[in-house]
Amino acid sequence: MRANDTKGPVSGRRHWGTLPAVSAAQLLVVLDGTIVNIALPSAQRALGMSDADRQWAITAYALAFGGLLLAGGRISGLLGHRRAFLLGLAGFAASSALGGAAVAPGMLFGARALQGAFAAVLAPAGLSLLTTTFTGARERGRALGVFAAVGAAGSALGLVAGGLLTQYASWRWCLYINVPVALLAGIGTALVPPDRPVRGGGRLDVPGALLSAGGFAAMVYGFNEAASLGWGSPVVVSLLAGGVLLLAGFVVVEVRASHPLLPMRVLLHRARAGAFTAISLMFVAMFGFYLFMSYYTQTVLGCSPVQAGLTLLVNAVAALLGSTLITGKLHGRAAPATLILPGLTAAAAGLFLLTRLTPQSTHVLSFHLVPALVLTGLGLGCVMPATAGLATAGMRGHDIGAASAAYHAAQQLGAALGTALLNTVAAGTTASYRAARPSAAPAAASVHGYTTALAVACGILVAAVCLAAPLVTNSRAGASGEREESALPSA
């Protein structure tokens, strides 16, 4: 039985009150992935951080968020999605205030880890609330479209907000800003239909939680370290190998557990596996794209951080249009493959255009840049809501939280891998270009590195199309979860 079904019919007002509250929470989670990046130099000077330690302001959040997502999904079911959502909001706001008031580096790093931990509860609880509240195909399509648009716009908005707040207020406001947003989302939760904890769920799978947290944290940290130490570094190799072993142990434990943290049926269903594959590879490519667009607009075009963020808003607006005008209207009417595969292809075409950039492309309105921003945005706007709907379609009981958590975990791993992998490719090709052409301008070497990395990202999206196509094509799992329920084992 669906959790929200236990209370009977939900009024339209309360029904649609879920969307703004969950969207505000999604904005918080995504925003904090980038907003602190802009504020970090100022925070480093204010708190006396060393160059070696400053990365922990970013890494602590990513490790806690990625490592605890699966446990957060289970907690969401045990407490009830609405209660877990409120817990995540309150904890995220409190840890943000703590970070803004930091007087030492350790205090900031600890607050960022707490933010990630509460985000790991907040994110799957929010997606679970959308899934259980919006059950009709068309209304779920519109809801997931808005949800995905907020997620797609959050990274670019974080760059803009981080620059504005740091420049005109203080770096501390990059953290304090979360408090009023969380408060508004909390007030909006009064309109969220109440639910009950899932019955018969048993206790939290502690061995699975520890293994998944350790495995995801090792993988994310290994990817982050690879960007600076290199993929052949003993530290990186040890972290990645350890992460793989821990996740393999996690699978063994979950198969045997009576109340698993992540039931294997969530991953082994063909269409759902296609959704996870598509979104993880999409994030590998897109986070490299965001990284290089930030570098390109600032180092080659001479934009300020705020101007660079505003340029990326073209991508965010295109994602909004794609997720609401295209996916929102077709969701439930068309098979998921008709949104996911063209979305991946459009994003790949946008990245291909960017491989044609040159050091002479010195204007933000260049022929290649704006069309590429539009195409990648439209692609992201089609892929995110379609894969989110497919990943959670037909889920019941604890499986809803597990599928939501796995979906966010796929995004986190993809983002971490994409940033590290593509940054390594760019740095290596830039160095090779400089060695082969000592007299070349620095901008020429940098652009060569960016375009080479973006070509790799384009290839990753083409591979995503090839891998996801046989999994999601002819799938009967549409945006409406009811279509897939008969094909899935019961929770």
Side-chain angles (χ1 to χ4, degrees):
M1 180 180 290
R2 280 187 173 85
N4 65 316
D5 289 344
T6 62
K7 293 290 184 181
V10 179
S11 69
R13 179 170 169 267
R14 292 171 68 81
H15 190 70
W16 283 99
T18 304
L19 185 57
V22 172
S23 296
Q26 172 73 349
L27 179 62
L28 283 176
V29 172
V30 177
L31 196 69
D32 261 59
T34 56
I35 192 171
V36 176
N37 295 46
I38 301 297
L40 190 54
S42 299
Q44 181 181 3
R45 290 191 296 270
L47 300 180
M49 293 184 219
S50 67
D51 289 344
D53 289 341
R54 66 183 178 186
Q55 63 163 331
W56 283 104
I58 309 300
T59 305
Y61 179 84
L63 292 183
F65 185 32
L68 296 175
L69 266 169
L70 293 181
R74 184 68 170 181
I75 290 170
S76 179
L78 290 173
L79 294 179
H81 303 309
R82 187 171 180 267
R83 290 179 182 175
F85 184 77
L86 285 169
L87 172 66
L89 274 178
F92 197 91
S95 54
S96 296
L98 180 65
V103 295
M107 184 175 174
L108 177 62
F109 302 155
R112 290 286 287 164
L114 282 174
Q115 278 186 300
F118 283 108
V121 176
L122 183 61
L127 184 53
S128 297
L129 281 175
L130 282 187
T131 302
T132 55
T133 301
F134 298 95
T135 55
R138 294 185 65 182
E139 63 179 13
R140 181 181 288 185
R142 290 193 292 268
L144 288 175
V146 174
F147 176 80
V150 171
S155 295
L157 185 59
L159 295 173
V160 177
L164 290 172
L165 290 171
T166 302
Q167 183 172 343
Y168 296 109
S170 165
W171 66 268
R172 297 181 184 275
W173 275 99
C174 292
L175 293 162
Y176 286 146
I177 192 64
N178 293 329
V179 177
V181 176
L183 181 61
L184 289 174
I187 294 172
T189 308
L191 298 176
V192 174
D195 64 350
R196 295 174 181 170
V198 179
R199 296 177 181 177
R203 297 180 179 178
L204 179 65
D205 175 18
V206 175
L210 293 175
L211 286 169
S212 66
F216 275 105
M219 296 291 286
V220 171
Y221 189 43
F223 291 147
N224 285 339
E225 290 297 286
S228 57
L229 300 180
W231 292 95
S233 164
V235 173
V236 173
V237 172
S238 298
L239 285 168
L240 296 181
V244 170
L245 290 175
L246 287 171
L247 292 178
F250 168 72
V251 172
V252 172
V253 168
E254 296 305 279
V255 169
R256 299 178 178 178
S258 57
H259 299 288
L261 196 69
L262 178 61
M264 288 299 104
R265 60 179 170 269
V266 172
L267 298 180
L268 296 179
H269 186 267
R270 173 181 163 183
R272 190 165 295 111
F276 291 145
T277 299
I279 196 61
S280 60
L281 292 179
M282 185 72 166
F283 269 59
V284 169
M286 290 303 296
F287 266 70
F289 160 79
Y290 287 131
L291 178 68
F292 298 126
M293 285 300 93
S294 178
Y295 286 162
Y296 178 79
T297 53
Q298 293 182 66
T299 61
V300 177
L301 300 185
C303 297
S304 68
V306 174
Q307 291 171 327
L310 290 172
T311 301
L312 285 174
L313 284 182
V314 174
N315 174 265
V317 171
L320 175 65
L321 295 176
S323 60
T324 54
L325 298 183
I326 299 176
T327 307
K329 291 186 176 182
L330 293 179
H331 197 83
R333 299 180 178 181
T338 61
L339 294 168
I340 294 172
L341 301 181
L344 291 170
T345 303
L351 294 182
F352 178 77
L353 280 178
L354 291 175
T355 64
R356 318 313 298 170
L357 289 173
T358 68
Q360 287 72 43
S361 305
T362 56
H363 197 277
V364 72
L365 297 178
S366 67
F367 174 76
H368 300 104
L369 185 56
V370 171
L373 290 171
V374 171
L375 283 171
T376 51
L378 289 174
L380 194 61
C382 289
V383 171
M384 283 190 68
T387 52
L390 192 55
T392 55
M395 293 282 90
R396 297 183 179 214
H398 281 294
D399 287 1
I400 299 173
S404 299
Y407 181 76
H408 283 286
Q411 293 178 340
Q412 283 297 110
L413 280 179
L417 174 58
T419 302
L421 174 63
L422 298 176
N423 193 44
T424 302
V425 170
T429 53
T430 298
S432 299
Y433 188 94
R434 287 173 177 166
R437 301 171 179 81
S439 60
S446 296
V447 171
H448 178 71
Y450 302 157
T451 54
T452 302
L454 289 167
V456 173
C458 177
I460 289 171
L461 289 181
V462 172
V465 173
C466 297
L467 292 172
L471 298 174
V472 301
T473 302
N474 298 324
S475 168
R476 296 179 61 194
S480 174
E482 291 77 10
R483 293 186 182 182
E484 193 188 6
E485 287 177 359
S486 61
L488 289 170
S490 61

